[in-house]
Amino acid sequence: TQLLEQSPQFLSIQEGENLTVYCNSSSVFSSLQWYRQEPGEGPVLLVTVVTGGEVKKLKRLTFQFGDARKDSSLHITAAQTGDTGLYLCAGGDSSASKIIFGSGTRLSIRP
Amino acid sequence: ETGVTQSPTHLIKTRGQQVTLRCSSQSGHNTVSWYQQALGQGPQFIFQYYREEENGRGNFPPRFSGLQFPNYSSELNVNALELDDSALYLCASSLDRGHYGYTFGSGTRLTVV
């Protein structure tokens, strides 16, 4: 059974600080996606990484896919209150018949 | 382009009843996946439909069933509702099974009493 573990589960930091969220598995994934979800809404896709070692940047967000394609990280620089939300990683197998999600990291940014 | 639309947005059902949830996929997408999300948890995969065929299924009992129509919209049916079925049900559409990511709807909040 494929599982994705995210850490930390909860994170509360001051505006302007940096943070990193981790997504780990013992399974290899053909692609890994990061989503952000706000209360009462569906998740919104932030990025997809498909190559081991790949790094993608989206403004203040940096995403990295591990060399072995078993883990990923999301780093936010100079966090803003608008970054508050539930961050979810999701991994797909080669057939993409099943994308599984981690349990999420709930991020709270204090002004 | 239109996004993913789910209906209804909220629903209250009694234990033992049956429910049908609906999803209109994003224009151009041929794959729909359904997820169940309990409060404070990540979404759990129910099943995926690709070009009207079930393409994968998670660990949900047979009383969870679905359909995908020729226009790629989809339904999720749940029979014999149980209290634990109370959750947010999310529909996600994608092109060619979603290897590069999903577009989610806002979900249907189902409460079973």
Side-chain angles (χ1 to χ4, degrees):
Chain A
T1 303
Q2 292 177 311
L3 288 173
L4 277 167
E5 295 184 356
Q6 288 189 241
S7 61
Q9 282 186 287
F10 302 95
L11 187 57
S12 179
I13 63 170
Q14 205 75 29
E15 192 172 27
E17 293 183 345
N18 302 330
L19 67 110
T20 302
V21 173
Y22 299 93
C23 175
N24 294 293
S25 177
S26 57
S27 303
V28 175
F29 292 99
S30 61
S31 70
L32 200 133
Q33 303 156 15
W34 284 91
Y35 294 80
R36 178 168 162 263
Q37 185 178 23
E38 296 194 61
E41 298 294 325
V44 175
L45 180 67
L46 298 173
V47 78
T48 300
V49 285
V50 297
T51 305
E54 183 176 2
V55 176
K56 279 192 174 179
K57 293 193 175 184
L58 186 66
K59 297 183 181 177
R60 295 176 294 103
L61 278 60
T62 302
F63 304 86
Q64 184 162 8
F65 201 12
D67 291 341
R69 293 186 290 145
K70 293 182 178 182
D71 56 86
S72 181
S73 64
L74 157 60
H75 182 80
I76 301 180
T77 304
Q80 299 176 356
T81 55
D83 295 329
T84 292
L86 179 67
Y87 287 81
L88 295 159
C89 66
D93 61 17
S94 56
S95 70
S97 63
K98 183 165 80 171
I99 305 282
I100 65 165
F101 280 79
S103 56
T105 292
R106 188 160 298 281
L107 177 62
S108 174
I109 309 298
R110 304 188 302 273
Chain B
E1 65 184 17
T2 57
V4 176
T5 305
Q6 291 188 243
S7 62
T9 54
H10 296 84
L11 199 53
I12 300 175
K13 288 287 192 177
T14 303
R15 189 172 50 182
Q17 284 188 314
Q18 178 266 342
V19 69
T20 297
L21 309 182
R22 294 179 174 82
C23 172
S24 294
S25 58
Q26 181 170 310
S27 176
H29 284 182
N30 56 18
T31 304
V32 170
S33 304
W34 286 92
Y35 287 83
Q36 180 195 67
Q37 187 176 25
L39 210 57
Q41 300 293 318
Q44 296 295 310
F45 176 71
I46 303 175
F47 42 57
Q48 181 185 85
Y49 282 85
Y50 170 62
R51 294 186 176 181
E52 303 179 61
E53 298 282 334
E54 187 178 289
N55 185 54
R57 190 179 180 92
N59 295 325
F60 280 81
R63 58 190 186 84
F64 285 78
S65 63
L67 280 174
Q68 188 179 33
F69 300 100
N71 66 354
Y72 302 129
S73 66
S74 178
E75 286 183 354
L76 164 65
N77 299 290
V78 188
N79 293 324
L81 284 166
E82 300 176 0
L83 297 179
D84 284 349
D85 296 333
S86 295
L88 180 68
Y89 287 84
L90 293 163
C91 167
S93 79
S94 57
L95 183 60
D96 293 342
R97 292 173 285 194
H99 183 74
Y100 292 100
Y102 289 159
T103 301
F104 278 88
S106 296
T108 294
R109 172 71 61 189
L110 173 65
T111 303
V112 182
V113 297

